[in-house]
Amino acid sequence: MGGTNPYIESAAARLPTRKYKLTILPANKVIEVDPAALPYARDGLKGSILEIASGHDVEIDHACGGVCACSTCHVIVRKGLESMQEASEDELDQLDNARGLTPQSRLACQAVPDGSCDVVIEIPSWNRNLVGEVHP
Ligand code: FES
């Protein structure tokens, strides 16, 4: 599912103008993001962490489809937070509901790196895709 949420302000994101590396922990998946190839997928803002991850088969929960209407896409930015636009009021409102909130927390569907540095994000343990694990 993709699209936009008509009830929120559009986030003031700057798309990257040069290639940069996005590392996703704990899998340690490194993606070279090419501005010319965006968007890779349809979920979240163009150039967002969710959009890039989805286009590279990295699963980040996104119950609302990437329109800033839940907090399931919560990720922790370990490096490169300064390369992303500031969180909007709407993003901050949703983050208030996120489990394990940190000062480096962002919604993956809203945070758009501008490519000015490499970025490292971590998917919190409770948001990781548990497919393949056996539950009794
Ligand atoms: S997927 Fe719902 S806020 Fe990001």
Side-chain angles (χ1 to χ4, degrees):
M1 189 164 94
T4 56
N5 182 339
Y7 301 104
I8 63 167
E9 289 177 30
S10 58
R14 294 178 310 274
L15 289 170
T17 55
R18 66 179 190 85
K19 293 180 181 177
Y20 71 96
K21 285 192 176 58
L22 170 63
T23 302
I24 301 177
L25 303 174
N28 207 25
K29 171 135 182 155
V30 180
I31 299 167
E32 185 176 71
V33 180
D34 180 356
L38 294 174
Y40 291 107
R42 295 181 56 202
D43 295 326
L45 293 180
K46 182 179 179 181
S48 67
I49 291 166
L50 176 66
E51 186 259 288
I52 295 163
S54 295
H56 290 84
D57 298 323
V58 177
E59 182 65 29
I60 299 175
D61 264 356
H62 53 288
C64 76
V67 296
C68 198
C70 71
S71 60
T72 57
C73 68
H74 170 211
V75 295
I76 299 166
V77 182
R78 298 293 182 200
K79 184 172 170 256
L81 188 62
E82 67 277 12
S83 72
M84 301 168 197
Q85 86 279 28
E86 291 210 0
S88 67
E89 285 299 316
D90 297 302
E91 181 178 347
L92 293 173
D93 285 349
Q94 295 300 338
L95 274 171
D96 279 345
N97 301 319
R99 185 173 158 194
L101 191 65
T102 77
Q104 290 81 35
S105 291
R106 293 297 303 262
L107 294 180
C109 70
Q110 300 299 302
V112 178
D114 67 8
S116 58
C117 65
D118 291 340
V119 172
V120 179
I121 67 117
E122 180 177 353
I123 302 172
S125 58
W126 52 90
N127 274 10
R128 287 176 203 151
N129 185 349
L130 299 178
V131 171
E133 288 195 5
V134 178
H135 297 280

